Structures are given as C-alpha cells and as structure tokens.
Amino acid sequence: MLQNPEVAAAYAALQVHKKMVAQLKATRLAESLTQEDIAKRTGLKKQNISRFENGTASPTLNTVSRYAVALGGTFEFKKLH
C-alpha cells in the first residue's frame, strides 16, 4: 500500500501529526499543566483538548498553534530528510 504515492503521503502526514501531538502533550505534562489549564489558556473546551491528545479529533492548524502558544512555544516548519 505504501507504494502508492497518495497512501504514502497520507501515512507520512499521520506520522507527523502523531509526533506533534506527542510533543505538545509531553510538554504540557512536563510543565505540570492539566488539559483544563490548556483549555483556559486557549479558549477551547477541555473535551476538545482531550480528543486532540488522544487522537480522536484532527485539529485545525489554528487550534494546534493556539495550543503551542499556550505552552509558550510556536510552530516551525522543518523539511523532512
């Protein structure tokens, strides 16, 4: 299946998404912040933060950016090797 360029691209995007979510969640936990803390800082609902972190929702770029800013971070594009 990964021989198909469309399938390979979708798989690669999913892997990038999972890594990004894991980094955001790990940073939240390292900062001793709850999902409720992030919800308050972003103006999002706690259940949306939960869905985002557990992979049942695919957030918009705006949502991901708001989450990153709530942690004191930013978003940066990196070319994959």
Side-chain angles (χ1 to χ4, degrees), residues 36-56:
E36 185 67 35
D37 294 328
I38 298 298
K40 287 177 185 174
R41 291 180 180 193
T42 60
L44 300 168
K45 294 180 180 180
K46 183 206 169 280
Q47 59 264 37
N48 291 340
I49 301 298
S50 176
R51 288 183 194 124
F52 169 48
E53 287 187 357
N54 69 31
T56 60

Side-chain angles (χ1 to χ4, degrees), residues 1-65:
M1 295 275 281
L2 291 178
Q3 300 301 325
N4 180 318
E6 290 179 19
V7 173
Y11 179 78
L14 180 62
Q15 296 310 306
V16 168
H17 177 82
K18 285 182 178 184
K19 183 178 179 182
M20 174 193 59
V21 170
Q23 288 175 335
L24 290 170
K25 183 177 179 180
T27 301
R28 176 181 66 76
L29 294 172
E31 296 289 325
S32 300
L33 296 169
T34 65
Q35 290 178 343
E36 185 67 35
D37 294 328
I38 298 298
K40 287 177 185 174
R41 291 180 180 193
T42 60
L44 300 168
K45 294 180 180 180
K46 183 206 169 280
Q47 59 264 37
N48 291 340
I49 301 298
S50 176
R51 288 183 194 124
F52 169 48
E53 287 187 357
N54 69 31
T56 60
S58 184
T60 65
L61 180 57
N62 181 52
T63 299
V64 175
S65 296

Side-chain angles (χ1 to χ4, degrees), residues 27 33 41 66-74:
T27 301
L33 296 169
R41 291 180 180 193
R66 288 165 65 183
Y67 192 125
V69 169
L71 292 170
T74 186

